[in-house]
Amino acid sequence: MTALYKHPEFRIGARDMLTLAPGMAAWGLMTGVAMIKSGLSLVEVLLMCLLVFAGSSQLAALPLIIAGAPMWVVLATALCVNLRFMVFSVHLRSYMMHQPFWRRLVSGYFTTDPTYVQFTKRFAQPADDPVGRRAEEAYLAGNCAVGWTNWMVASLFGVALANATPVR
């Protein structure tokens, strides 16, 4: 079986995400700046930036963390902000159930609102054959690869920019 990145759908998924990359980059840049300006340490910001991959949750959690809210409140807030992904998961279940559990977890981590929309637009119905499933997997992988890379670069650039800019 060929690698997903060699499948033609990988390039199509990547190209489709490039159309949304500037908007996502602006959001990522702003999130990176907000995290640094919130007073979190550079290590905390970098860990949150690299592990969380959820801009809305990051921005919702920041004021709670700064205010010293209990961790359960921070986590409950992040959960509520991300409940929409439960709906995405239910809808994508029929597309993903043939994959091993670990691959479904990885796909869940990398799937964002734009990824979900573009994927379901391209594949209105789940494939019922291995060739079609492989095309779906490749498209999603290409889409997610560009989305994640774009977000990380923009967020880290925001962190660096905010770190280098003095507060008046």
Side-chain angles (χ1 to χ4, degrees):
M1 188 178 293
T2 61
L4 287 176
Y5 71 89
K6 292 182 179 180
H7 195 288
E9 285 292 334
F10 184 93
R11 286 186 300 284
I12 295 169
R15 183 197 65 213
D16 287 352
M17 184 53 79
L18 283 173
T19 63
L20 302 176
M24 286 180 66
W27 185 243
L29 178 76
M30 189 266 311
T31 302
V33 170
M35 286 192 299
I36 281 292
K37 295 302 181 183
S38 72
L40 295 176
S41 74
L42 183 58
V43 171
E44 292 168 326
V45 168
L46 291 176
L47 283 172
M48 184 182 263
C49 194
L50 295 171
L51 298 176
V52 175
F53 190 43
S56 298
S57 289
Q58 288 169 291
L59 292 173
L62 277 177
L64 298 171
I65 293 169
I66 294 163
M71 186 53 69
W72 73 267
V73 172
V74 175
L75 293 174
T77 301
L79 176 70
C80 288
V81 169
N82 285 322
L83 279 176
R84 67 191 183 281
F85 289 106
M86 294 298 287
V87 175
F88 297 172
S89 295
V90 169
H91 182 237
L92 293 176
R93 184 178 192 281
S94 56
Y95 291 90
M96 305 290 175
M97 280 311 292
H98 67 279
Q99 297 180 7
F101 181 69
W102 71 269
R103 290 212 25 219
R104 293 193 312 263
L105 284 177
V106 170
S107 292
Y109 171 78
F110 287 105
T111 299
T112 62
D113 304 71
T115 302
Y116 169 78
V117 169
Q118 289 186 323
F119 179 81
T120 55
K121 183 177 166 186
R122 178 125 180 110
F123 300 100
Q125 298 296 321
D128 55 2
D129 63 288
V131 172
R133 288 182 181 143
R134 192 67 176 168
E136 291 170 353
E137 292 172 24
Y139 180 88
L140 185 62
N143 202 275
C144 289
V146 171
W148 184 86
T149 303
N150 178 52
W151 178 266
M152 289 302 156
V153 168
S155 295
L156 293 173
F157 184 68
V159 168
L161 185 65
N163 225 8
T165 306
V167 178
R168 292 205 231 211

